[in-house]
Amino acid sequence: MKLVRFGEVGREKPGLVDADGGIRDLSSVIPDISGASLSANSLDRIRKLDAKTLPLAPSGQRLGACVGKVGNFIAIGLNYADHAAETGAPIPAEPIIFNKAPSCIVGPNDNVIIPRGSHKTDWEVELAIVIGERASYVGANEAMDYVAGYCVCNDVSEREFQIERGGTWTKGKGCPTFGPLGPWLVTRDEIPDPHALDMWLDVNGERMQNGSTKTMIFNLPQIVSYVSHFMILEPGDVITTGTPPGVGMGMKPPRFLKSGDEISLGIDGLGVQRQRVFAFEERPADIRYPAHQRSVSV
């Protein structure tokens, strides 16, 4: 299944993508694509519905982040061997874990805002895991039983804040709009092998990243198991799992986002995102920063 959230910022409704690509309103079935609605039992109940009996969402609706009310937004650093090589970093012996602020989450086509004082805002296409069951101290052999599905994440990053300002990576990763998720949450049954997915990212139509989940250092079961040994993962939590090479920081000379840029990115079977980039000072006047975004309609 492909699940979506559609509507105005803060008022998104749950939806199901039907066989013709239309969005069916799930509001009468579940309150949101979040929390307990992502359990295996809940997903089975949705799967058994006849989508044609559900009302169609109005056309031209904004897509929100494909999962709502995210508690933990966890990221894994340097998890692609070819990306580690481009940054000159050694292969990590254990997964590198850092937090992205849940408040940075936006829809897949919402604007990305370069924060105040930023000179090194960068892009990263990533495969994200959405947790469906409460997970604590789970083994790698059972870890995928706790996963509801997958989505595309743009792990937008400010490299000066992340690397040059001391402390942890978190402050370069959680700025408002730095976590576009979606367009869809795709349930596990639709992706037979999440470790064989092509992924890409373009800036202004120029291909920057062209990789595959095949080059992950730590696979998804290892990641879920590992993270669950350091915190309890709740339904609706998101783990974004690293990026392939082609980030701006790794170019010679480095290249970073500027106001007016357009980003598009996607992963096989998980859909495509498109974002416009604005400097903080040049953000559209109708944005109530950071809660409301002018966005690309779908």
Side-chain angles (χ1 to χ4, degrees):
M1 291 186 299
K2 294 181 176 70
L3 302 175
V4 299
R5 299 172 69 248
F6 64 93
E8 297 178 8
V9 175
R11 297 182 179 180
E12 294 91 346
K13 294 182 178 181
L16 170 69
V17 180
D18 66 22
D20 299 318
I23 297 176
R24 300 284 176 164
D25 190 336
L26 280 172
S27 298
S28 64
V29 182
I30 54 174
D32 199 356
I33 309 296
S34 64
S37 297
L38 293 168
S39 71
N41 288 339
S42 175
L43 294 178
D44 284 344
R45 183 161 61 97
I46 296 169
R47 196 173 284 112
K48 292 173 183 176
L49 296 172
D50 181 356
K52 293 179 181 179
T53 65
L54 299 170
L56 276 167
S59 62
Q61 289 286 293
R62 167 190 173 270
L63 290 184
C66 60
V67 57
K69 302 178 180 67
V70 175
N72 288 309
F73 190 7
I74 307 301
I76 308 299
L78 297 175
N79 192 39
Y80 281 66
D82 38 7
H83 172 54
E86 78 169 340
T87 65
I91 300 296
E94 296 186 31
I96 296 170
I97 300 175
F98 60 90
N99 289 86
K100 286 180 74 74
S103 59
C104 83
I105 294 172
V106 291
N109 304 316
D110 286 344
N111 299 321
V112 165
I113 307 300
I114 298 172
R116 283 179 173 170
S118 168
H119 302 286
K120 298 182 179 180
T121 296
D122 206 346
W123 56 82
E124 295 189 9
V125 59
E126 303 201 2
L127 170 66
I129 303 166
V130 179
I131 299 298
E133 307 283 348
R134 197 169 200 256
S136 180
Y137 295 107
V138 302
N141 63 327
E142 59 177 345
M144 297 308 287
D145 294 339
Y146 294 82
V147 173
Y150 316 105
C151 65
V152 180
C153 174
N154 188 355
D155 178 17
V156 185
S157 308
E158 211 301 336
R159 302 304 188 185
E160 181 184 356
F161 299 176
Q162 175 190 355
I163 299 168
E164 300 174 31
R165 298 282 295 272
T168 67
W169 288 6
T170 299
K171 61 179 173 278
K173 294 285 191 171
C175 301
T177 75
F178 273 25
L181 294 179
W184 315 310
L185 190 167
V186 181
T187 52
R188 281 193 299 123
D189 54 296
E190 285 211 12
I191 307 295
D193 185 1
H195 303 104
L197 302 177
D198 291 336
M199 53 205 308
W200 57 272
L201 182 145
D202 295 347
V203 178
N204 300 328
E206 181 182 353
R207 183 59 44 95
M208 300 297 179
Q209 292 187 270
N210 195 12
S212 170
T213 56
K214 291 178 181 178
T215 66
M216 278 188 179
I217 297 166
F218 302 102
N219 65 27
L220 303 190
Q222 290 171 320
I223 289 169
V224 174
S225 174
Y226 187 83
V227 174
S228 80
H229 281 70
F230 297 96
M231 66 188 74
I232 295 174
L233 293 169
E234 299 285 1
D237 285 353
V238 174
I239 307 174
T240 190
T241 60
T243 197
V247 299
M249 176 179 64
M251 295 182 174
K252 301 186 186 308
R255 175 174 170 179
F256 298 109
L257 292 168
K258 62 185 184 301
S259 191
D261 283 346
E262 295 189 2
I263 312 169
S264 57
L265 59 148
I267 300 177
D268 282 353
L270 302 182
V272 173
Q273 299 185 357
R274 295 180 178 87
Q275 293 116 27
R276 296 172 183 167
V277 179
F278 291 89
F280 182 89
E281 296 76 11
E282 299 173 2
R283 65 198 188 278
D286 63 345
I287 289 180
R288 285 195 289 145
Y289 186 82
H292 290 272
Q293 308 280 318
R294 177 185 292 165
S295 61
V296 180
S297 295
V298 295

